[in-house]
Amino acid sequence: MMRYIKLVNFEINRFSKIYLSLLLITLVSQFAGVFMVTKDYLDGAKKTMSEEKLSEAAFVTNYGGIDFTYIANSLWFQGPIALSAVALIFYIFLIWYRDWFGKNTFIYRLLMLPTSRLSIYLSKATAIFLMVLGLIAFQIIILPMENGLFNSNVPEAFLNMEMSTSTIAAANMVLMLIIPSTFTQFLLSYGIGLMIMSILFTAIMFERSFRIKGIILGLIYCGISAVVFLAPFFVMEIGNFYFYPNELFGLQLALGIILTGLSVWLGAWLLKKRVTV
């Protein structure tokens, strides 16, 4: 267990500089977005009121007020979230291929450590999952601060409403996805994320085990996994059959657990039996 924890810590430390950069970009961009979006709105409102001789109340009646959804829907806010998501998806591949193609071919030393290769596999998966949770936790921490800054910068006459953090998350598709409001949504969002990561890890192991043939096998495995996970929807569409929401959730949860477990087992088996040093 201690070796596994050390491996997790090692993997996180290797990505720490980029990870901290993502946190800083998110912090700066989203807070800058609060200032820029509110400034643009208020400058436009003042110009329109001056030109059309409108009061604040008349302007809001004619053109509408502003709330935090304006910020949450802006590129300033969603851009760093998208950047972080792309970076972590890219790191799913980099976390393995860097060991093969980096200096001194580090994978050889890693695979010769006196520890189970399953620990190496799980440590990489755990490191990525913890970094995802860290980014989400960071967003949850700074969101109320951004909301408070927004409310303090906008005159009350222009505010549609003061929104709570949960209301903001529920009103924005991106935030609703990364900050689930219920445990069921949490299981769906992050369970699917874990499943996709494990499937991609297995596809990488296929490529590392069989090279060119492995790319084809990996793509086939990803395709079969997608078909299996989406099978209930295909059954409803093609077979004119209907699942109740609870039944559909149960089926997808079961299929997700099966696919994740199979992918971890198969990926670890390939790493142990087919990937050689």
Side-chain angles (χ1 to χ4, degrees):
M1 177 59 73
M2 285 303 299
R3 287 174 179 171
Y4 163 73
I5 294 173
K6 287 180 180 178
L7 284 170
V8 172
N9 182 63
F10 173 73
E11 293 293 350
I12 291 175
N13 286 337
R14 295 175 82 188
F15 192 63
S16 59
K17 291 181 180 179
I18 298 176
Y19 188 67
L20 290 174
S21 297
L22 291 173
L23 295 178
L24 183 60
I25 290 170
T26 300
L27 181 70
V28 173
S29 178
Q30 290 188 355
F31 272 94
V34 173
F35 284 108
M36 296 302 296
V37 173
T38 53
K39 182 178 184 299
D40 287 346
Y41 173 84
L42 293 174
D43 287 348
K46 290 177 182 178
K47 182 178 179 181
T48 302
M49 286 188 296
S50 175
E51 291 175 350
E52 300 183 15
K53 309 300 182 184
L54 297 175
S55 65
E56 292 179 347
F59 174 84
V60 171
T61 300
N62 292 342
Y63 296 98
I66 187 173
D67 53 52
F68 197 83
T69 57
Y70 280 68
I71 310 296
N73 290 327
S74 70
L75 183 62
W76 292 98
F77 191 91
Q78 296 190 8
I81 296 176
L83 177 65
S84 298
V86 170
L88 288 175
I89 291 171
F90 177 72
Y91 194 61
I92 289 176
F93 297 91
L94 181 64
I95 201 171
W96 286 105
Y97 286 111
R98 176 178 56 186
D99 293 339
W100 263 282
F101 299 116
K103 290 183 178 180
N104 303 320
T105 318
F106 184 74
I107 191 65
Y108 296 141
R109 285 190 290 164
L110 192 61
L111 294 179
M112 293 177 69
L113 289 174
T115 186
S116 167
R117 291 192 179 183
L118 177 62
S119 296
I120 297 172
Y121 181 99
L122 292 178
S123 67
K124 291 180 182 291
T126 303
I128 292 175
F129 190 63
L130 288 177
M131 285 187 281
V132 170
L133 293 181
L135 284 168
I136 302 309
F138 184 70
Q139 183 65 77
I140 292 173
I141 291 170
I142 66 174
L143 186 56
M145 301 178 191
E146 294 164 351
N147 189 32
L149 179 62
F150 169 79
N151 290 329
S152 65
N153 280 352
V154 178
E156 188 175 348
F158 293 101
L159 276 175
N160 284 334
M161 67 175 80
E162 289 194 12
M163 305 176 72
S164 65
T165 302
S166 58
T167 305
I168 294 169
N172 183 272
M173 288 189 63
V174 174
L175 290 177
M176 187 167 54
L177 180 64
I178 65 174
I179 309 176
S181 59
T182 66
F183 183 66
T184 299
Q185 290 176 338
F186 175 84
L187 286 178
L188 280 175
S189 295
Y190 293 97
I192 290 173
L194 274 175
M195 179 189 70
I196 292 173
M197 180 175 64
S198 65
I199 290 170
L200 290 177
F201 268 23
T202 300
I204 292 168
M205 291 301 102
F206 271 120
E207 189 278 327
R208 287 291 84 197
S209 299
F210 304 105
R211 298 305 190 268
I212 300 299
K213 291 180 181 179
I215 295 175
I216 299 172
L217 289 172
L219 291 173
I220 292 173
Y221 182 76
C222 290
I224 292 174
S225 298
V227 170
V228 170
F229 184 69
L230 297 174
F233 295 99
F234 296 143
V235 170
M236 288 194 295
E237 184 68 25
I238 300 173
N240 195 25
F241 196 80
Y242 179 77
F243 292 112
Y244 289 103
N246 287 341
E247 293 173 334
L248 186 61
F249 170 74
L251 281 171
Q252 288 203 282
L253 181 61
L255 290 171
I257 292 172
I258 291 170
L259 285 171
T260 301
L262 176 63
S263 297
V264 170
W265 174 81
L266 182 56
W269 184 84
L270 287 169
L271 183 63
K272 181 179 179 181
K273 300 293 185 180
R274 301 295 307 186
V275 178
T276 61
V277 296

